[in-house]
Amino acid sequence: MSKVIAIANQKGGVGKTTTTVNLGIGLVNEGKKVLLIDCDAQGSLTESLGFQNPDDLKITLSTMMQKAINEEPFAKDEGIIHHNEGVDLVPANIELSGMETALVNIMNRERALKTYIDKVKDNYDYVLIDCTPSLGMLTINSLAAADEVIIPVQAHYLPAKGLEQLITTVGKVKRQINPDLKIGGILLTMVDKRTKFAKDVSGQIRFNYGKHLTIYKTEIPLSVKAAETSAVGKSIYTYDGNGKAADAYKDFTKEVLDGGKQRNKHRSEIIR
């Protein structure tokens, strides 16, 4: 069965898109079939995969959501782009900002994205949704469509502070819209292990949330190479396959595939 994972955090610049790309291609490298969905009108995921002019694309996520809302027929592969590292992509561009507004006025507005995903997900082992940096209707749609949510958090004070609001939103979606939704885990990103500050923030997150939520054992290190991948349209595995960020994303991918065994062991260590 296909698993739908939303990569979400209302704070921008915490590594959502980079995580979506490298987890997705990491899963492909492990033999899985993966669909990535760009759910941000800025088209960051689309550009990060090398499609530098998303506004020129004729069919995007906005197009497919509108068809799903209107109950129009469409082919399962319609509008899906194949990337040369093995993942498929539903791209996004500025048209998606209009969809955010339109959703307010339609019936069943929280489930428009789910309606689309349910029609295409059977072709994939994993569907990863790169959420917009907000808690608006598109993020609510992403959470309503997902089986679980992964929360990337930069190892800095302010991004960590915003965790509580997102966790509260996930709880509301679970209670009111999607009872099967769970938090897959919190992923610490951009960790500068040379500094005591980053270690302190990492320790605080693990202490404050580790008793109740899974904190991934893997921490994604601060890496210039990882930041550069967005500009070249490649994953970290292709761009800097022997670097520390590539090794970290490989380990993170294995944790996701592992189904929580390593994470739960680590969480028990934190509790002790």
Side-chain angles (χ1 to χ4, degrees), residues 233-254:
K234 299 176 182 178
S235 74
I236 192 64
Y237 311 110
T238 298
Y239 187 65
D240 186 34
N242 296 319
K244 58 184 180 179
D247 288 342
Y249 273 114
K250 287 175 187 175
D251 290 342
F252 171 55
T253 299
K254 289 175 182 176

Side-chain angles (χ1 to χ4, degrees), residues 106-229:
I106 68 168
M107 292 181 62
N108 217 16
R109 57 183 177 268
E110 298 91 354
R111 296 181 173 86
L113 180 58
K114 177 177 172 57
T115 300
Y116 168 67
I117 289 176
D118 284 349
K119 290 183 181 295
V120 300
K121 69 179 184 180
D122 288 346
N123 289 342
Y124 299 94
D125 299 303
Y126 287 87
V127 177
L128 307 183
I129 309 169
D130 185 25
C131 296
T132 185
S134 76
L135 293 177
M137 281 304 305
L138 287 172
T139 297
I140 299 301
N141 264 256
S142 299
L143 296 175
D147 300 305
E148 64 181 57
V149 54
I150 291 173
I151 306 172
V153 178
Q154 187 180 2
H156 280 246
Y157 173 70
L158 287 177
K161 189 177 179 182
L163 256 178
E164 198 64 43
Q165 186 179 7
L166 177 58
I167 290 169
T168 299
T169 298
V170 171
K172 287 181 180 179
V173 172
K174 181 178 178 66
R175 290 190 299 274
Q176 301 176 19
I177 303 170
N178 180 6
D180 297 324
L181 179 64
K182 65 179 183 178
I183 295 177
I186 295 170
L187 174 67
L188 290 163
T189 63
M190 303 181 197
V191 179
D192 188 348
K193 297 185 178 181
R194 300 168 300 177
T195 67
K196 183 178 182 299
F197 177 71
K199 292 177 183 177
D200 288 346
V201 173
S202 173
Q204 287 175 11
I205 292 173
R206 292 187 184 280
F207 178 80
N208 292 332
Y209 296 98
K211 295 178 182 179
H212 309 289
L213 298 172
T214 293
I215 314 293
Y216 289 99
K217 182 177 180 180
T218 303
E219 294 183 356
I220 308 301
L222 184 67
S223 167
V224 174
K225 292 289 187 182
E228 290 173 351
T229 57

Side-chain angles (χ1 to χ4, degrees), residues 24-25 28 32-35 82-88 124:
I25 293 175
V28 167
K32 304 301 181 182
K33 192 169 184 183
V34 180
L35 176 66
H82 185 73
H83 186 266
N84 59 17
E85 290 187 64
V87 290
D88 285 351
Y124 299 94

Side-chain angles (χ1 to χ4, degrees), residues 51-66:
F51 304 100
Q52 296 297 326
N53 298 299
D55 290 346
D56 294 339
L57 296 171
K58 293 182 179 180
I59 301 177
T60 63
L61 179 60
S62 179
T63 312
M64 303 316 299
M65 286 181 68
Q66 192 63 58

